[in-house]
């Protein structure tokens, strides 16, 4: 008799705990498969310390294959679930598609960035949900301070030294607190010529910092932030974001090159395709974390609306603490459905919360006891060490070194801005040029999911002017000279962002040189340089030669009208050899030149000045 097959989708707090507990309970009595885009479990609460240079990136990750015995790891992202056929479709990191059969399915896909229909946010802001985003923010903040220290222009220095964080929840508060300490340390060692200092702003429409936590924690966090010079503005948010700054809801204009989006999260849109009862974008389950009417389907973590038995009529909030506990109970109930042990309902006891504010400062209420100062800092770090499933010694060693040695404020340039777009449905995976395309089913936009109005199905890309789905080939919408944008309320955020065209030195994608005032693009496969510039002769039509199989398609090129093409989550390469696409329309004259984070030369701006670097 074959062993039952258990498939777990997602390796966050809930999925990782489910897999680890099931591995211990079932031993060799079941085949357990874990489907996840990365080969590690990410301990999210310590991510702000990665961005601030306290911890190295690998310290907050735990190897899945090394820590989960008797669990088969499959790298990929779930595209669809057929409950009747008991199969999960997925796409691997290199574009290969596969199917996983199951007898029991556990959905623990987690959450993604929550977008709002605010003009310019999707183009100019960055989220903070994954390791690539933390690495990018660390490099970006370091670069802005270094560029500000080198300039003699006070206005440019002020803009580069201003960092705006939207969202005063758990993540946004910690990012602002750690970021202020990090930039102050940089300026102390390398004072700016203009005598200015970094300025951090924390915005939220809520009436206080940490609005979902105890009011005493809120007061402690607010006091520490203001002591460090953070400009805390409650009841205020971003009305519009541009390349040069943001316009706030109170009418104030702030010049900045950094906008960090920590507004919140929404459940992974994968669960919306199941057609099952939902609650605020989450899948409704019973107290045993089982979907009613589907004995083979379980859900836990951020994608599950779990009844809170301690507060009748309410559901458990989307926190790491609940997700970790969900995983243990879910594993026990899955095992019970196979005849191993007894099932139990999910009932929790609040252990309190801890907020790391950097240095020796923290806000904590363990078991309801409010604490602040160094005592809270010790409790906070002790809690994190106890909660981490691995790397405790390495994390403790980094903390000791950070206390006695200065931080290494260097930018490595490992993650570019276009690799971590805010609209990405998978913040844990960096967008890579040349990634093979993947097929995504067309689904209706989410409704009532608690996310941004008009956001579509998982991995969907915007449509071009001819109604066909594009993969970053059209000019950015809402830019000067572009077509009517999709950043209107209720619309899906445009995928084309400033600086998203292929960067120099990237494989298979030399940037076009036919910008205004530049020379025509050369070395494009199968075609002569365009000559239909003003004053030039018409372009000669040359026969096209197909690309070699496996050669990446240069991102940022639109498909020819009428040519069928698979949609892709990331602008990548086709897996089959096809003729190169026709060059897309020429970018608007005033649009900033595309390129990597560190631009090869001055960038044109709408105000007539030149700027360096990346917004």
């Amino acid at each position: 008799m074959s062993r039952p097959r258990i498939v777990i989708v997602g390796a966050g707090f809930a999925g990782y705990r489910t897999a680890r507990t099931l591995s211990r309970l079932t031993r060799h009595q079941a085949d357990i498969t874990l489907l996840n885009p990365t080969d590690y479990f990410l301990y999210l609460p310590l991510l702000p310390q990665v961005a601030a240079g306290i911890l190295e990136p690998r310290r907050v990750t735990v190897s899945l294959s090394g820590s989960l015995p008797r669990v088969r790891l499959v790298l990929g992202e779930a595209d669809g679930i057929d409950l009747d056929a008991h199969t999960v479709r997925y796409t691997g990191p290199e574009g290969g598609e596969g199917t996983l059969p199951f007898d029991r399915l556990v959905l623990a896909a987690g959450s993604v960035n929550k977008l709002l229909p605010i003009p310019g946010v999707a183009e100019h802001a960055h989220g903070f949900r994954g390791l690539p985003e933390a690495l990018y923010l660390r490099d970006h903040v370091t670069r802005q301070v270094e560029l500000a220290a080198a300039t003699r222009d006070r206005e440019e220095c002020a803009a580069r030294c201003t960092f705006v964080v939207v969202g005063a929840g758990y993540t946004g508060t910690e990012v602002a607190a750690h970021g202020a300490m990090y930039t102050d340390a940089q300026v102390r060692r390398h004072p700016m010529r203009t005598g200015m200092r970094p300025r951090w702003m924390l915005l939220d429409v809520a009436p206080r910092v940490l609005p979902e936590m105890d009011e005493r924690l809120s007061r402690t966090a607010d006091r520490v932030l203001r002591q460090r010079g953070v400009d805390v503005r409650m009841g205020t948010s971003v009305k519009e974001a541009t390349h040069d700054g943001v316009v706030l809801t109170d009418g104030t204009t702030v010049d900045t090159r950094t906008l960090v989006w920590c507004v919140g999260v929404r459940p992974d849109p994968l669960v919306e395709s199941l057609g099952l009862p939902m609650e605020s974008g989450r899948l409704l389950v019973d107290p045993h974390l089982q979907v009613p009417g589907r004995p083979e389907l379980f859900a836990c973590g951020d994608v599950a609306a779990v009844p809170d038995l301690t507060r009748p009529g309410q559901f458990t909030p989307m926190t790491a603490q609940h997700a970790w506990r969900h995983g243990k109970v879910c594993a026990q109930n899955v095992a019970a459905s196979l005849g191993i042990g007894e099932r139990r309902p999910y009932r929790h006891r609040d252990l309190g919360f801890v907020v790391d504010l950097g240095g020796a400062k923290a806000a904590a209420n363990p078991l309801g006891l409010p604490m602040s100062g160094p005592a809270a800092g010790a409790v906070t770090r002790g809690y994190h060490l106890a909660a981490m499933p691995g790397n405790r010694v390495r994390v403790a060693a980094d903390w000791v070194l950070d206390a006695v040695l200065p931080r290494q404020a260097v930018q490595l340039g490992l993650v570019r801005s276009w690799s971590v777009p805010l609209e990405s449905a998978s913040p844990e995976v960096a967008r890579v040029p040349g990634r093979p395309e993947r097929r995504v089913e067309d689904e209706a936009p989410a409704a009532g999911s608690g996310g941004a109005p008009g956001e579509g199905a998982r991995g969907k890309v915007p449509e071009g002017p001819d109604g066909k789905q594009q993969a970053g080939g059209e000019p950015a919408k809402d830019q000067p000279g572009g077509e009517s944008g999709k950043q209107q309320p209720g619309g899906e955020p445009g995928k084309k962002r400033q600086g998203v065209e292929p960067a120099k030195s990237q494989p298979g994608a030399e940037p076009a040189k036919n910008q205004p005032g530049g020379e025509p693009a050369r070395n494009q496969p199968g075609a002569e340089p365009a000559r239909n510039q003003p004053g030039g002769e018409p372009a000669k039509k040359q026969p096209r030669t197909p690309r070699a199989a496996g050669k990446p398609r240069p991102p940022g090129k639109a498909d020819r009208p009428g040519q069928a093409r698979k949609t892709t989550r990331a602008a990548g390469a086709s897996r089959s050899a096809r003729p190169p696409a026709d060059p897309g329309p020429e970018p608007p004259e005033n649009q900033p030149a595309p390129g990597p984070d560190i631009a090869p030369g001055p960038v044109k701006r709408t105000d007539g000045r030149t700027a360096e670097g990346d917004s």
Side-chain angles (χ1 to χ4, degrees), residues 511-536:
K513 298 183 181 179
N514 53 353
Q515 302 295 331
E519 63 176 4
R522 302 186 186 275
N523 298 331
Q524 299 300 328
E528 285 243 345
R531 300 191 181 184
N532 50 356
Q533 303 296 330

Side-chain angles (χ1 to χ4, degrees), residues 193-486:
R193 298 181 183 180
T194 58
M196 303 187 68
R197 298 191 62 82
R199 174 193 182 194
W200 284 79
M201 298 182 65
L202 182 61
L203 314 176
D204 202 309
V205 294
R208 59 184 175 90
V209 176
L210 301 174
E212 297 180 354
M213 298 186 183
D214 186 89
E215 191 171 349
R216 289 169 291 189
L217 293 182
S218 175
R219 288 198 298 266
T220 299
D222 187 272
R223 182 178 65 254
V224 172
L225 289 172
R226 295 183 187 275
Q227 288 174 351
R228 290 184 183 160
V230 178
D231 186 358
V232 180
R233 298 192 185 185
M234 295 294 98
T236 307
S237 188
V238 173
K239 181 180 180 181
E240 181 182 1
T242 66
H243 176 73
D244 296 324
V246 294
V247 179
L248 306 185
T249 52
D250 59 4
T252 306
T253 299
V254 179
D255 292 336
T256 181
R257 302 292 188 272
T258 308
L259 180 60
V260 187
W261 191 256
C262 301
V263 168
V265 296
R266 66 186 181 99
D268 193 296
L270 172 68
V271 297
E272 299 170 358
S273 63
L274 299 178
L276 298 174
M278 310 283 290
E279 174 64 33
S280 298
R282 296 194 284 173
L283 195 61
L284 273 174
V285 298
D286 60 22
H288 300 91
L289 307 181
Q290 194 169 22
V291 177
R294 289 287 181 176
E296 77 284 2
L297 181 59
F298 296 79
C300 55
D302 290 349
V303 298
V306 182
D308 190 343
L309 299 182
T310 63
R311 299 180 300 171
Q314 299 189 37
F315 299 94
T316 58
M318 296 167 59
T319 63
Q321 190 177 124
H322 279 290
W324 187 252
R325 298 174 181 178
H326 286 176
K328 181 179 180 180
V329 175
C330 184
Q332 293 173 337
N333 291 337
V334 171
S337 70
L338 301 176
I340 304 173
E342 297 181 357
R343 70 175 193 160
R344 50 173 289 193
Y346 177 74
R347 187 184 299 270
H348 76 282
R349 180 187 173 210
D350 191 1
L351 299 179
F353 291 93
V354 294
V355 182
D356 187 0
L357 299 175
K361 300 295 182 68
N365 61 346
L367 302 177
L369 178 64
M371 302 177 66
S372 61
V379 169
T380 298
R381 297 202 168 183
Y383 170 81
H384 286 316
L385 286 180
M388 288 192 68
N391 289 347
R392 296 186 180 94
V393 175
R394 291 185 173 93
V395 169
D398 276 4
W399 284 341
V400 172
L401 292 176
D402 180 69
V404 298
L405 297 176
R407 298 180 195 173
Q408 294 177 296
V410 295
Q411 46 172 322
L412 301 179
L414 299 178
V415 181
R416 305 292 189 176
S417 63
W418 46 262
S419 298
V420 283
L422 181 60
E423 70 273 14
S424 173
S426 300
E428 67 274 9
V429 179
R431 180 171 293 182
V432 179
R435 174 182 293 177
E437 298 177 0
R438 49 177 299 194
R439 187 182 301 276
V440 180
E441 299 294 337
D442 292 333
E443 296 173 7
S449 62
E455 284 190 281
R458 179 184 179 90
K460 205 166 184 180
V461 296
E463 293 184 356
D466 56 355
K468 298 181 181 295
Q469 289 187 334
Q470 306 293 335
E474 292 293 329
K477 306 297 181 185
D478 287 343
Q479 299 299 330
E483 296 199 14
S484 56
K486 296 198 176 183

